[in-house]
Amino acid sequence: MKRYVTALLALLLTISFVGCVGDTTSDVSDSVATGQTQEDGELLIWYDTCSKDYMMGLMTEFQKEYPGIEVITEDYSDMIIPDYRTKLAGELMAGGGPDIVLSNHDNNNIVQNLTKLLQNGIFLDVNTLGVDFSDCNQAVLASGVYEGGQYMVPLNYGLGLMLTTEERIDAYDIVCDNRLLAFTDSLKSIYDSGKYVFLDYFATDFLYRQNGMTLIDHANRDLTDDDDQKAILHRLADAYDGLFPDIFEDGMSVSYMFYRNLNQYNNSEIEAFLSGDLAFLASMGKFGALDQLMMIGAYSTKIMEAGETPYLTSLPTADGDAPSPVVNWFLLVNGKTEHTDEAMCFIDSAVGMESQYFVSSQLGIPVNNDLIECMRAYYCDGELDPRYPFRAYPMPEQISDYFFAQIDAMQPGVYTDVQTMGHLFGVFREYLTGTDFDIAYDHAKNNVSFYLSE
């Protein structure tokens, strides 16, 4: 087990994943519906170089709970990633492929064209099987809902958490009251002093999801004409310019690559932060790395050793409301599977305490409510559950209180398709290089409509 945890932590800042789901109706066997152990059956699972370690961790816990189910695996970790994506998508569209797919939201084109596959009923709405998700955070589950069906089963998520210090907030007069434009306006003095705010840019899809925006009119296969949603997008574009000034100068596409200069800091972001050249340690749109309380605790310890007071906040929202969760990992069920009972057992295990503690708590915030309460009892009240121990870090009360307050306050998540939403990045690029916002939006609207309808 230790080797899986080590591998997962090593992968934390280097990998991103896959995803898809579908539409089929089936009955759950009594053994699944009543929570009793499934005595026999089989399940086909694929993994590639990206998903291998995470999937093997899930399988380890699954086979402890359901030893009678034979797990048949196909290892494609030696296959070139684009080739694996093509093979997986092709098999799924042809009615084959694995029973279960493990995906990461920020690279879900490993299963090519997720929204189109959903439109064509390739994946299973797990609600049709009567799965019990009562122990899962409902706001997070909402991120996996497509047109009323629970197609994606989130395993963990992020909330855009960022770590700085009280001293830096005072020195730069940074506004941390959840108003995004006020926050970005307050960063000007940091840029003027020659410092960097973030290690990397926030993916625009991260901003959409964090603000609870889908922007896609799925029924009409087009971008929404909703004026409120467009107004929020406009504010996000202005904020993006404030977060990353001049990002599109000289033909740059999406780049604020301070990490290229990390060799000055032994390739360590915490060293860059402690040097004062980096103002925030932040969960990037691609990784959600700082949504682990353990990593926050480790960084906080180093900050206090350097003589500053760590301060946890989050990327504000366009309207100043509480953020929506940004799902990292999720499971999907092949709509053509003949092993629905076994697939549901796998999902039950993956969102259960053991798997969530073993895997998901290492890579983001776990979706299981009971595990969150176990973590809260330890980090806020000092109550240790011997079955689920957590690493102790000397964290200020503000850190732990803010972490759990954000979980309690978050708004329901939304489904977005990264590949579809990528067409919206053109709005940011065109608008911030001089095009009228409405014209830029219409261009994106044409691109999305063509993409979803072809």
Side-chain angles (χ1 to χ4, degrees):
M1 290 177 62
K2 290 182 178 178
R3 70 178 183 274
Y4 291 135
V5 174
T6 302
L8 287 166
L9 291 174
L11 283 168
L12 180 62
L13 296 177
T14 59
I15 63 176
S16 53
F17 277 56
V18 205
C20 29
V21 212
D23 176 70
T24 287
T25 302
S26 178
D27 294 325
V28 186
S29 69
D30 291 339
S31 62
V32 179
T34 60
Q36 298 172 357
T37 300
Q38 177 95 6
E39 295 299 332
D40 53 25
E42 64 181 44
L43 198 63
L44 175 60
I45 289 176
W46 291 11
Y47 47 75
D48 69 334
T49 186
C50 292
S51 56
K52 181 175 182 177
D53 289 277
Y54 199 153
M55 181 59 89
M56 290 182 72
L58 291 174
M59 288 191 302
T60 296
E61 296 305 316
F62 171 68
Q63 294 196 292
K64 289 179 184 177
E65 188 170 356
Y66 298 98
I69 298 178
E70 179 185 7
V71 177
I72 302 168
T73 62
E74 293 188 18
D75 184 350
Y76 294 99
S77 57
D78 292 334
M79 182 177 283
I80 298 173
I81 291 174
D83 290 348
Y84 174 74
R85 295 176 182 178
T86 300
K87 177 178 177 61
L88 180 57
E91 289 288 338
L92 290 168
M93 292 174 68
D99 297 311
I100 291 282
V101 176
L102 175 64
S103 171
N104 177 285
H105 196 291
D106 293 296
N107 204 12
N108 62 22
N109 60 346
I110 292 180
V111 182
Q112 306 265 336
N113 304 321
L114 178 55
T115 296
K116 291 184 180 181
L117 293 174
L118 290 170
Q119 288 172 348
N120 288 284
I122 300 298
F123 302 105
L124 185 69
D125 174 5
V126 298
N127 280 335
T128 62
L129 301 178
V131 185
D132 182 7
F133 288 119
S134 59
D135 290 337
C136 295
N137 189 297
Q138 300 303 302
V140 182
L141 282 181
S143 299
V145 172
Y146 169 81
E147 295 203 316
Q150 187 75 53
Y151 289 95
M152 292 175 286
V153 179
L155 300 179
N156 55 15
Y157 62 97
L159 283 168
L161 297 173
M162 310 184 299
L163 192 63
T164 187
T165 69
E166 292 181 2
E167 291 78 6
R168 296 178 200 206
I169 290 173
D170 292 339
Y172 294 114
D173 293 323
I174 302 173
V175 175
C176 293
D177 64 358
N178 217 37
R179 292 178 299 140
L180 184 58
L181 291 178
F183 172 73
T184 58
D185 286 346
S186 70
L187 301 180
K188 187 175 185 300
S189 60
I190 297 177
Y191 292 113
D192 289 346
S193 68
K195 312 293 186 185
Y196 288 83
V197 177
F198 300 116
L199 180 68
D200 197 352
Y201 62 87
F202 279 87
T204 48
D205 176 73
F206 181 100
L207 298 177
Y208 307 147
R209 288 184 284 155
Q210 194 237 7
N211 280 272
M213 302 173 67
T214 62
L215 291 164
I216 306 298
D217 179 352
H218 293 291
N220 295 311
R221 302 190 179 188
D222 201 352
L223 278 185
T224 179
D225 286 318
D226 184 277
D227 288 337
D228 291 337
Q229 291 274 292
K230 289 169 65 175
I232 294 173
L233 183 67
H234 197 161
R235 288 196 291 277
L236 289 181
D238 288 334
Y240 204 71
D241 192 35
L243 292 170
F244 311 106
D246 305 321
I247 190 171
F248 298 111
E249 275 192 352
D250 303 320
M252 294 171 66
S253 54
V254 283
S255 184
Y256 211 69
M257 303 304 187
F258 181 58
Y259 68 76
R260 288 179 178 169
N261 303 322
L262 279 179
N263 57 335
Q264 315 174 43
Y265 309 100
N266 299 313
N267 289 315
S268 167
E269 59 200 296
I270 183 64
E271 286 195 26
F273 178 82
L274 293 175
S275 75
D277 288 339
L278 188 62
F280 283 93
L281 288 164
S283 57
M284 295 296 94
K286 292 184 177 178
F287 299 113
L290 208 63
D291 291 298
Q292 296 180 72
L293 192 54
M294 288 180 289
M295 180 171 281
I296 293 169
Y299 281 167
S300 295
T301 299
K302 291 182 179 293
I303 289 169
M304 288 187 288
E305 290 172 350
E308 293 191 73
T309 307
Y311 186 91
L312 188 64
T313 186
S314 64
L315 187 70
T317 60
D319 287 337
D321 297 328
S324 295
V326 177
V327 168
N328 299 331
W329 295 83
F330 54 88
L331 290 175
L332 311 131
V333 179
N334 187 336
K336 302 299 183 182
T337 181
E338 296 179 355
H339 305 111
T340 51
D341 291 352
E342 294 86 348
M344 292 306 101
C345 288
F346 192 90
I347 288 174
D348 180 68
S349 172
V351 298
M353 281 284 279
E354 298 298 333
S355 288
Q356 289 276 291
Y357 174 73
F358 179 63
V359 179
S360 297
S361 63
Q362 307 296 327
L363 293 168
I365 305 171
V367 71
N368 186 289
N369 286 328
D370 292 337
L371 184 57
I372 289 296
E373 292 312 306
C374 189
M375 294 172 65
R376 191 196 308 260
Y378 178 67
Y379 286 110
C380 294
D381 303 319
E383 299 177 6
L384 176 64
D385 184 329
R387 289 190 62 190
Y388 306 104
F390 301 99
R391 184 168 296 182
Y393 288 105
M395 290 185 289
E397 190 172 301
Q398 187 273 339
I399 298 288
S400 54
D401 285 353
Y402 187 89
F403 181 86
F404 292 105
Q406 286 293 101
I407 294 173
D408 294 340
M410 64 184 171
Q411 303 293 318
V414 294
Y415 163 72
T416 63
D417 174 357
V418 173
Q419 192 164 353
T420 306
M421 302 297 272
H423 291 283
L424 272 172
F425 185 73
V427 176
F428 282 55
R429 185 189 297 107
E430 288 190 50
Y431 170 62
L432 297 180
T433 53
T435 302
D436 178 81
F437 179 84
D438 288 332
I439 293 175
Y441 189 84
D442 285 343
H443 289 166
K445 200 172 191 302
N446 291 336
N447 291 336
V448 169
S449 178
F450 176 77
Y451 168 73
L452 291 178
S453 300
E454 64 179 347

